[in-house]
Amino acid sequence: MGEAIVLKSRREIDLMRDANRIVAETLVLLEDKIAVVMTTAELDSLAEKNAGANGARPAFKGYRGFPGSLCVSINKQVVHGIPDRNVRLRDGDLVSIDFGVEYKGYFGDSAITVAVGNADAESRNLLAITRESLARGIAAAVIGNRVNDISRAVQVHVEAHGFSVVRQFVGHGIGASLHEPPEIPNYQRSGRTPKLMDGMTLAIEPMVNAGTHEVRVMRDGWTVETADGRPSAHFEHTVVVTDNGPEILSRV
Ligand code: MG
Ligand code: MG
């Protein structure tokens, strides 16, 4: 079932490294500039300009009709929040920023969550555990393992801290397309999952909720929110599996 997983050549990985560097530099820029009273549309515009200045195309804009270059998801919003010039960041907001670009035919994809100003202890803990769970997932992206080992590493860490992983949305392969096989869930699935191999490029992206794992899609057709209204965090890296272990491509 499904298409085959595409293993990338050295040349392709080099191009993906370039694409992901642009994504990573953009996220660093946004993290640096993010502040109370900024609108989410202003963040979007910064990201779009930075991609353009580097010769890259924002990958999400127009993707299935998505209107922004950036996904900005605040507090109870999990992923796919639409940038809005009427939405201003407030002190204590937990803001997830997801960005992707296409550069010379290859894609980069990464996300961070930032606490604006004085976030409460639960939000800061949720942010830290989600970031750690991504690191655990990446550490499991080694030859000899299967996709399920990545999923398990994320889930175990999150649930050990009393949080939950979203089921309805998952990580993915990435390369000459933004989304490629395999799917990379943040929870274990029964049955066999693909073996990890040299040259596999994966976007690993835990979406972690403080309360229930249940989510719903809002009426705008995009924004995903937690069913119980409690906060959510999201971190993502594009990683290549190699004989020498996982390499994070979306890092400056
Ligand atoms: Mg992403
Ligand atoms: Mg992704």
Side-chain angles (χ1 to χ4, degrees), residues 60 71 97-100 108-111 172 178-179 203 205 234 236:
F60 305 161
C71 296
I97 302 168
D98 191 350
F99 190 52
D109 190 7
S110 182
H172 50 94
L178 181 58
H179 297 118
E205 51 177 318
H234 179 211
E236 175 179 27

Side-chain angles (χ1 to χ4, degrees), residues 125-136:
N125 191 34
L126 180 65
L127 186 156
I129 297 304
T130 307
R131 185 166 39 203
E132 287 169 18
S133 75
L134 172 58
R136 302 283 180 114

Side-chain angles (χ1 to χ4, degrees), residues 154-155 158-159 163-167 186-187 207-209 213:
V154 171
Q155 182 177 25
V158 167
E159 293 182 354
F163 298 134
S164 66
V165 290
V166 171
R167 269 86 165 144
N186 296 300
Y187 61 97
M207 291 151 254
V208 177
N209 295 349
H213 70 82

Side-chain angles (χ1 to χ4, degrees), residues 1-12:
M1 229 176 75
E3 313 146 70
I5 297 169
V6 181
L7 302 178
K8 275 73 177 183
S9 67
R10 281 288 126 199
R11 179 193 147 269
E12 290 178 299

